[in-house]
Amino acid sequence: MNSVSPIRKIFEGVATRPQMFRLFDRHNQRPDRWQTDAAPLYAGEWFEIDEALYDYMLDILPPLWMRGPIFALREFLMGSVTSIFFALRIDGRTRYFHGYCDISDQGSVEAMRVAIFDRETRPVRAMIREERLEHIWSSTADAYRGYASDRFPKSMQGQRTIMLWSGSNGTILKPLDDLSDDEIAGKLPVQMRHLPSAAA
């Protein structure tokens, strides 16, 4: 289940304080939580916060390091993965972001800064399919998401699942990656359902 993932946006919009703390550990239900190294699950994930949360996190502990408007949290999530907070000037205004970087890779922080900047300077607001799925996973309550158990075929076990209403069959669990376009639209907030994907 744990695999190396690219740098990726996991939440659309600016996270509130409760959302931020929930996003910090959105893989907390993984079945092998205490048995395997989950660093690849977290490294590369990022989302936007506001200035107040950026300042709050800066004041929690002395940062591990601070380079201009970018600082690393002293408390590591696991291994060499820790929180990096960015203040980036994008389209004439300063915006704030959190990302998990594996700082054993000396280029990881700069790679994430560039990726965030490239993603957020697109002229048209858009979401690709992967971002829609990550937003659904990030915003679904724990009771309505999970991981495929031994009730699923062995090849599917461990995959992320989402609970859906299927009409006459009641509620069902379906692998997140298998959601149809209609099912994805049904799980997204109204304002995100019709965002284009072509520009992403």
Side-chain angles (χ1 to χ4, degrees), residues 10-11 22-23 26 133-140 145:
I10 61 166
F11 186 81
R22 191 163 180 271
L23 290 169
R26 69 190 197 116
L133 293 177
E134 293 302 338
H135 184 89
I136 289 170
W137 181 260
S138 295
S139 56
T140 298
R145 67 180 187 182

Side-chain angles (χ1 to χ4, degrees), residues 37-158:
D37 176 13
L41 273 179
Y42 293 88
E45 294 186 343
W46 64 270
F47 58 89
E48 187 169 2
I49 58 176
D50 62 19
E51 183 178 6
L53 289 176
Y54 174 93
D55 291 341
Y56 172 79
M57 296 305 296
L58 181 59
D59 290 339
I60 281 184
L61 290 172
L64 181 66
W65 51 254
M66 188 161 192
R67 301 169 187 159
I70 302 174
F71 70 90
L73 202 65
R74 179 170 296 276
E75 185 174 320
F76 283 74
L77 175 69
M78 59 186 66
S80 53
V81 175
T82 192
S83 291
I84 307 293
F85 291 87
F86 301 83
L88 303 178
R89 191 78 175 165
I90 298 175
D91 295 334
R93 66 186 179 97
T94 303
R95 294 168 61 184
Y96 304 87
F97 303 89
H98 166 271
Y100 279 126
C101 291
D102 183 343
I103 59 173
S104 66
D105 176 356
Q106 294 186 354
S108 63
V109 175
E110 176 61 10
M112 179 167 284
R113 186 195 70 78
V114 170
I116 293 172
F117 190 83
D118 287 348
R119 173 64 183 84
E120 296 302 306
T121 51
R122 291 175 183 167
V124 177
R125 190 180 177 208
M127 293 176 76
I128 60 175
R129 175 182 169 85
E130 289 74 17
E131 290 174 345
R132 296 172 199 265
L133 293 177
E134 293 302 338
H135 184 89
I136 289 170
W137 181 260
S138 295
S139 56
T140 298
D142 287 352
Y144 300 99
R145 67 180 187 182
Y147 293 83
S149 66
D150 55 9
R151 294 166 45 199
F152 285 78
K154 195 169 183 62
S155 61
M156 299 171 63
Q157 291 176 18

